Amino acid sequence: MRLVARCPAKVNLSLRVLGKRPDGYHELETVFQAVDLWDRLDVELADDFEMSCDHPGIPLDDSNLVLRAARRFRETTGVDRGASFRLRKGIPVGGGMGGGSSDAAGTLVLLDRLWGTGAPREQIHAIAAGLGSDVAFFLTGGTALGRGRGERIEPLEGIEETPLLLGFPPFGIPTAEVYRRVRVPGAPGGDSVRLTPSGIDVSVARFSTLKLPGGKDFGFVTNDLERAVFEGWPELQAFRDSLMKAGARKALVSGSGSTVFGIFPESDLVDRAVSILGSVFATWELRPCRTIGEGIRVRSEAG
Ligand code: C5P
């Protein structure tokens, strides 16, 4: 038997940096949104762990997130089995769309099914949180609030299916580099990030009524990492501005970049924006997509 997972990408509809923590990470409050752009991860039983991937940019050594997730799952559950993975990338690599994190979450869900582990939800969630800040979100998918490093997830009422246009420049941006450049409130010389004065509980109440009907209320769509990204990579700001001119209701860097996305009221306008932006940003990849209300999907196939 072979199991197949569809692992979606995400954008951050909102990302607030609340402060820097003693462990070096930043305390966040972020709204994750899954989108219909997918990696496909197949798994079959094997004696040990094996892995292949159709994308040359993915290392197949110990740093590979699928293999790291698999080893962590095996150590934590104590199951002495192996698995053979085949990854087909549909999500751009290094673009801040969470592809590697989604694959890691998919690995945990797949192994639990393949080995019949029946691991408690909390255990799978704890392994996910230990693998990276975005991994836990993909166990939930849809629209969700992330707190802490981003790993404490609270599902939100889904937003209406909304057309987006994603823009991928021909380079990635290292997440750690962006966080290094962020000026945290209270730090010398910095006022670029705002504390949420009323605290997290109030904002949960605000976000839990989150809706984008017809795309009218985009007040919450903001990214505190954006200034640091634009200072280092000004081309992203030019692209953001062009998305707005081309009819986006709101345009934003996703997470720490390098993806920039626009929220559009209807898909006809997305098509128009593709033709306007395509000639100016010829080296960028433009990808229309939509928000989705789900996360990882697993199905079985006869081997
Ligand atoms: O957890 P993850 O591997 O996704 O994070 C990559 C890097 O981004 C971290 O090493 C850290 O420098 C930075 N980061 C941060 N605060 C967060 C998430 C990530 O400073 N909440």
Side-chain angles (χ1 to χ4, degrees), residues 80-98:
D80 188 19
R81 306 187 81 166
S84 172
F85 295 98
R86 179 174 177 199
L87 178 62
R88 277 170 266 191
K89 293 295 291 179
I91 305 171
V93 176
M97 298 291 295

Side-chain angles (χ1 to χ4, degrees), residues 10 91-99 167-169 171-173 254-260:
K10 60 86 184 164
I91 305 171
V93 176
M97 298 291 295
F168 311 116
F171 52 85
I173 295 181
S254 179
S256 58
S258 57
T259 304
V260 183

